[in-house]
């Protein structure tokens, strides 16, 4: 990956809807080599896909919580099943496995506090191996995790 590939990645992260012509102009290439590089970046897995940046509040998901999960069992079967079940939950929009006292960090969206409470009581507490769950309410998102510095 060279500097032009990095510039293509940067521009696509800022505005993935740009036409190939506009993108080519921004990175200083003609359209054909720009498209070839984009295809190569996709094929190699550097570009994982394209998506729309949707405002959760405007689609009725104004409540956001960060959830910290500690497991009491950390064998490979429990971890695999925990992660599979978390992946099935549409409300969990982001998740990381961590080192340290906390095993997982989950970002959860819901319409409101009551909906989140139901999700917490009916889903999160029933996940395999869960020892402790701590939630914190997001007051404001300062910077969305969309752009990866390349």
């Amino acid at each position: 990956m060279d500097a032009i590939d990095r510039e293509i990645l940067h521009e696509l992260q800022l505005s993935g809807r740009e036409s190939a012509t506009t993108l080519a102009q921004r990175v200083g290439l003609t359209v054909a080599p720009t498209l070839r590089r984009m295809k190569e970046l996709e094929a190699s897995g550097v570009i994982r896909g394209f998506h729309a940046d949707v405002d959760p509040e405007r689609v009725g998901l104004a409540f956001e919580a960060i959830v910290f999960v500690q497991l009491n069992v950390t064998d490979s079967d429990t971890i695999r099943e925990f992660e599979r079940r978390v992946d099935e939950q549409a409300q969990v929009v982001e998740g990381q496995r961590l080192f340290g006292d906390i095993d997982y960090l989950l970002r959860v969206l819901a319409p409101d506090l009551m909906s989140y409470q139901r999700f917490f009581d009916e889903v999160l507490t029933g996940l395999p191996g869960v020892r402790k769950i701590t939630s914190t309410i997001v007051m404001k998102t300062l910077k969305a995790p969309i752009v990866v510095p390349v």
Side-chain angles (χ1 to χ4, degrees), residues 74-116:
T74 56
D75 63 279
S76 61
D77 289 339
T78 302
I79 288 171
R80 194 171 19 261
E81 182 64 10
F82 175 88
E83 290 177 0
R84 184 189 68 75
R85 299 247 320 261
V86 165
D87 190 50
E88 292 175 345
Q89 304 305 315
Q91 300 94 316
V92 179
V93 297
E94 188 176 349
Q96 287 91 29
R97 185 171 177 199
L98 308 174
F99 283 107
D101 293 336
I102 305 298
D103 295 304
Y104 289 90
L105 181 149
L106 309 175
R107 183 172 156 230
V108 178
L109 298 179
D112 52 38
L113 176 60
M114 292 305 295
S115 297
Y116 174 71

Side-chain angles (χ1 to χ4, degrees), residues 18-148:
E18 293 289 352
S19 70
T21 303
T22 302
L23 179 60
Q25 289 171 347
R26 288 189 179 188
V27 300
L29 293 176
T30 61
V31 174
T34 301
L35 287 172
R36 180 186 52 75
R37 284 173 178 259
M38 284 177 56
K39 296 269 188 230
E40 289 172 0
L41 290 166
E42 286 182 79
S44 69
V46 173
I47 295 177
R48 295 188 289 196
F50 293 91
H51 70 278
D53 184 9
V54 177
D55 183 338
E57 191 169 339
R58 292 186 183 238
V59 295
L61 297 170
F63 184 89
E64 182 177 345
I66 303 297
V67 180
F68 303 98
V69 180
Q70 289 179 309
L71 301 181
N72 59 13
V73 180
T74 56
D75 63 279
S76 61
D77 289 339
T78 302
I79 288 171
R80 194 171 19 261
E81 182 64 10
F82 175 88
E83 290 177 0
R84 184 189 68 75
R85 299 247 320 261
V86 165
D87 190 50
E88 292 175 345
Q89 304 305 315
Q91 300 94 316
V92 179
V93 297
E94 188 176 349
Q96 287 91 29
R97 185 171 177 199
L98 308 174
F99 283 107
D101 293 336
I102 305 298
D103 295 304
Y104 289 90
L105 181 149
L106 309 175
R107 183 172 156 230
V108 178
L109 298 179
D112 52 38
L113 176 60
M114 292 305 295
S115 297
Y116 174 71
Q117 180 184 345
R118 279 192 301 282
F119 181 73
F120 183 98
D121 293 343
E122 296 170 10
V123 176
L124 293 177
T125 59
L127 292 171
V130 170
R131 177 176 157 252
K132 181 179 178 184
I133 300 173
T134 306
S135 297
T136 187
I137 297 171
V138 175
M139 289 175 37
K140 178 181 176 181
T141 298
L142 304 179
K143 188 174 182 181
I146 293 297
V147 177
V148 176

